[in-house]
Structures are given as C-alpha cells and as structure tokens.
Amino acid sequence: MRYFALLAALVAAPALGQASPERLRSDVATLVGFGTRHTLSETDSDTSGIGAARRWGRAQFEQTSAACGGCLEVVEPERVFTGNRIPVGVLIRNVVAIQRGSERPDEVVIIMGHIDSRASDVMDAVSDAPGANDNASGSALVLEAARVLSKQRYPSTIVYALLSGEEQGLYGGRLLADYAKQQGWTVKAALNNDIVGGSCGSDGVCDNAHVRVFSEGLRADASEQDAARMRSLGGQDDSPSRNISRWLDGLADDFIGGLDVRQVFRADRMGRGGDHLPFLEAGFPAVRFSVAIEDYEHQHEDVRVENGVSYGDTVDEMDFPYLASVTDLNIRAADRLAQAPMPPVVSADGLVRPDVLLEWEPVAGATLYRIWRRATDQRDWQWRMDLPADLAADLNSVVLAPDRGDDWIFGVSTVASDGAESPVSSAVPGGQFAPLPVVE
C-alpha cells in the first residue's frame, strides 16, 4: 500500500511549467546585445559590458520575484580577486536569487551558469564577444528556471545564480562556494550549466537527443588519508557528484520525449574546467551540464570569416528547442531535489564476514529508506529493499545476507511522503553529501 500512496502523491503533485524556447532566445539575444560581457569590461555603462549584463540579470530576477509575491531574495556576493588572468584586482560580483524552503531552508539546490564572455584573446575586454552559447545559454537557462520553479513552494531552498569571472579563472564559482559556506548551507546539489544551447559540432556531427553530465570520481576534497581509504574500501566511483549523475540519468529516463543523459565519468572536459570545480574542491556535490557535441569554431573566437569558415559565438549557431530541453531537465531535477530529503550518511561493514551491516544516520523529512547495491564493476544501482522510516527509526540499520562486502557497493536513498527520492548516498569513504573533515 505504501507504493500506491507514493504513486498517488506523485500524480496529485502540481504540474510543472515548461521552458519557453522563445523566451530563451530573447534572453540570449539581450545578453549578446551587450557587446562584450568580459569580466574586465565596462561596468558603468547601461548598454554594454559586464556591469550592464549583471544589472539586467538582477532586473529579471526581480521581475520574477514580483510575479511570485516576493518569493525571491536577490543578493550580490562580491570580492576583489587577482590572478593570472586578472593582473590588477577586479571586483567579481555574482547575481543570486534565493527561493527559501518552507521546512528545511538550509538544504540548498543550486542552478547556476556564468554570465561573462570572452573573445579569442582572454585578456581582450573591448572586442565584440557575444558569448551566445558560452554562456548566455546557461544564464538564460538559470533565469527561465527561476520563472518556472518560483511558481511552486518547496521544503528545501533553490538558489539561482549568474556567475562572473569564469573565463578568467572560475572566480564566480569560488565566490559562490565561499558564500554557501558563510551562509551555513547544506548543498544537496549544484547544477552548473555551461555551453548548453547548441546541437551540432565543429565537424558537422549533430546530436539534439543527449546532454552530457560530467561528474568527478575521486573527491577533490579528499586528503591523502581519505584517498587511501577509498582505494581500500571503495569510493573511486562513488562520489556524491557521481551519484547525482546516476540520479539525473534515471530522472531523464522517466520523461518521454526529453533528453537522454550521457554520463561522462570525469570532472569536466579534457584539460578544461567550469564553475562546479570550486564547489567540488569545497566538498559540495556538483555536476556540469554541457552539450552533447561542442562546436569549437563558435566558442572563444573573435567574430569573423576566415577561408570561408565563420567563427564566433553567435546566436545563429544555437538550437533553442534543444536549450529548452536542457532547461526542462534542470527544472525537473531542481523540483525533485528540493522536495526530496537529504541523502543519508551511510556506512557498511562487510569485513571478514558473510554478510554486510549497513547503517545510516536518520534524515529529516524521510518516510522511506531505499537500499541499493551495485556490483563493483557496474555503473548502475540495483534495488535491494525498502525500509519505512517508522520501522527503521530505532535502528537505522539492516544486515544484508548473503551479500558479501567484497563483491558489492551499497547505498541508501531517502524518499519523501510525496514520493520524491534523493540520489543514492554510497556506503564508502567519502560517500556523504557533505565536505570531508579537514585533516590537520
């Protein structure tokens, strides 16, 4: 009967709106119209430069907040940074809208994308740098997600973030990760959207049916001792971000006609990076969404025609129905994550014994604990059993037999009363959805 109750709750849940390709196109065109959004560009003009773009982004959040009765708090964390691509200190400022949760406001889901752009020369703050796909696409996605999700109310908090300084060294991501720490947020997932609006590659190959999700394996915040325990007991393939990737793949499969997730088991593209990396370094679960196939002639290039080949990150190279599909996947993910309880902290003892003792810490909002296992050489989780929270309250543990610890990885997810389920938390060193303790 419990399964039927959960199914009925899901069916009765309010229907989510969908992203509008036309609104996404309009937002991308507006951002492109600022000429350049380079981090070192003009900040005082109302028509060009990074300052104008950020003020416009804030105005969009404020309009959305007005439409939902003031449900968004708009803040602008800022700090002066200096680095290889910022030779003179520059004020990096993010534009962030916070939709507070009604029950667990410190549990936070973040949808983010960087608003800055660049030309061929990463230090050129003057030349035209439209940055349509990289990354007006991600910024427009964030704004559209806020418009859709702000019409609902959630137990957990959703944060929508337009980040500056990505092209100069991931400064906006670092600034927001630090802000999350300062606010005492428990980050359930950070969904970074960077280059999400095109479906054809520079070689002419097109794919509008998939979106790539990048996730780290070994945790970036792992100490030498942590890494040694992961090598011994498992954990190289069970970071929180890896389990978010698996969860997103399953979520995408639930929606007919949407994009399929292509899981990429590395933190980012080869030798490259995005704003989710500072979150991983801080110990926060984070993944990157990006197009199935990249078009290298139309990113990080001056606008020009050379030997009959067009270069430059312009609007005409984008696929807005595809961008709407990526936006819809983010919307569904944030909707589910903001309803679901936190994944639990789990441990497994299968050392020199013919069974496994699985234990976990109780989680606020959980009505069901779902037990999973996965053969050590397999990608996907297999359902093992369910334990209602009222039955597990006294013990929060189960002995699994004849499951031998050497042969399986185990994990636990949490399910809310409305059926929303969290990603799996792996019962391995570093499996918890929280920063690892700092080793002195």
Side-chain angles (χ1 to χ4, degrees), residues 109-113 189-193 244 248 285-287 289 330 333-334 337:
V109 180
I110 301 172
I111 304 178
M112 62 190 188
L191 310 178
N192 182 35
N193 290 272
I244 291 172
L248 286 165
V287 295
F289 289 85
N330 272 262
L337 288 166

Side-chain angles (χ1 to χ4, degrees), residues 237 246 249 261 263 265 374-375 377-381:
D237 197 27
R246 294 184 175 104
D249 192 17
V261 166
Q263 297 190 65
F265 282 8
R374 195 181 79 249
D377 63 344
Q378 296 299 304
R379 185 191 71 173
D380 298 326
W381 291 105

Side-chain angles (χ1 to χ4, degrees), residues 6 46 100 109 115 134 144 157 160 174 218 231 301 313 320 362 394 405 439:
L6 293 175
D46 291 329
R100 302 282 182 188
V109 180
I115 197 172
D134 185 14
E144 184 71 351
T157 293
Y160 313 93
R174 189 184 310 173
L218 191 68
R231 288 193 296 270
E301 291 284 352
D313 191 356
F320 287 96
D394 293 334
V439 178

Side-chain angles (χ1 to χ4, degrees), residues 262-284:
R262 180 184 300 155
Q263 297 190 65
V264 184
F265 282 8
R266 55 165 50 104
D268 209 316
R269 301 147 305 155
M270 295 180 70
R272 304 172 72 187
D275 279 317
H276 58 300
L277 298 186
F279 276 79
L280 296 173
E281 292 165 1
F284 294 135

